[in-house]
Amino acid sequence: MSLSTAPQVHIWTRAEYHRMAALNFFDGRRVELIEGQVIDMAAMKSPHAVAVDLVHEALKMAFGDGYYIRQQKPFVISDISEPEPDVAVVPGSIRDYATAHPTVAALIVEVADSSLSYDRETKGSLYAKAGVAEYWIVNLVAQQLEVYQQPVEVEEGVYGWGYGLVEIYGTGEAVTVAQVGCKVRVADLF
């Protein structure tokens, strides 16, 4: 009697992912490690790039000293996940991360156009699973800000997690950043 098994997906670890990058395996491509899979990131169009910069500036003003605003840099979630969010607000300063990427964030922001569903479902579930208390999606399609708070386990979540509170803000409104209690005008993000 022969045993037959279905093909298995190899789950890459962060160490393997970093070794592949060191060997130029990705050859200049923009990739990130999500739950053991190496994901190609979409090319960034001009509105996306401008929004990332605008979010960075707005959050730098809102958070001030004691926080470092990182753009498109690794954020360690687990041994098999190291996404590169568009913007991550992490405690401390630049030099605090000279030897290791951050593992906690006060706020993570993704700017979304073609990646909107992915950012809502996959990234949202991943960040909630990591315990990120506040996650924003700057929705370029609808010109609105989606604010996700209160990570909770949910059956329908891609990774078994989601957010219990979701609020949508238009460009004429302002949102209060939970961590610091400061307001950010949504129009400043677009």
Side-chain angles (χ1 to χ4, degrees):
M1 178 159 136
S2 73
L3 294 176
S4 147
T5 60
Q8 300 293 311
V9 173
H10 178 81
I11 301 298
W12 299 99
T13 65
R14 286 182 48 244
E16 291 169 326
Y17 174 68
H18 285 248
R19 278 196 300 272
M20 288 188 296
L23 294 170
N24 293 320
F25 183 81
F26 305 120
D27 194 28
R29 293 179 6 231
R30 292 182 60 231
V31 297
E32 59 186 356
L33 183 67
I34 306 293
E35 292 297 281
Q37 296 184 352
V38 178
I39 307 295
D40 282 304
M41 297 166 68
M44 193 181 304
K45 297 175 187 164
S46 185
H48 187 137
V50 168
V52 169
D53 287 339
L54 290 171
V55 168
H56 178 269
E57 288 302 309
L59 294 179
K60 192 173 178 183
M61 300 262 300
F63 277 85
D65 292 337
Y67 293 93
Y68 170 35
I69 316 298
R70 293 168 55 102
Q71 284 184 241
Q72 300 172 328
K73 292 181 176 67
F75 177 72
V76 176
I77 288 179
S78 70
D79 191 45
I80 59 170
S81 284
E82 189 177 277
E84 296 189 14
D86 285 323
V87 178
V89 181
V90 298
S93 67
I94 293 170
R95 286 190 171 82
D96 292 337
Y97 301 99
T99 59
H101 297 305
T103 58
V104 297
L107 171 65
I108 287 186
V109 182
E110 294 287 359
V111 174
D113 42 22
S114 62
S115 65
L116 187 55
S117 293
Y118 183 76
D119 289 337
R120 279 182 182 148
E121 297 161 20
T122 302
K123 288 279 192 84
S125 185
L126 183 70
Y127 295 142
K129 180 181 177 183
V132 174
E134 188 166 2
Y135 169 51
W136 292 3
I137 297 176
V138 175
N139 180 336
L140 296 177
V141 177
Q143 293 287 295
Q144 62 190 21
L145 177 67
E146 301 176 16
V147 176
Y148 298 81
Q149 296 174 318
Q150 301 173 0
V152 292
E153 286 187 79
V154 292
E155 236 177 79
E156 66 276 5
V158 173
Y159 302 116
W161 285 81
Y163 284 92
L165 179 62
V166 180
E167 296 179 303
I168 308 296
Y169 295 86
T171 55
E173 298 179 276
V175 60
T176 301
V177 182
Q179 186 74 26
V180 291
C182 188
K183 287 201 179 284
V184 172
R185 289 175 359 111
V186 175
D188 292 344
L189 307 176
F190 292 90

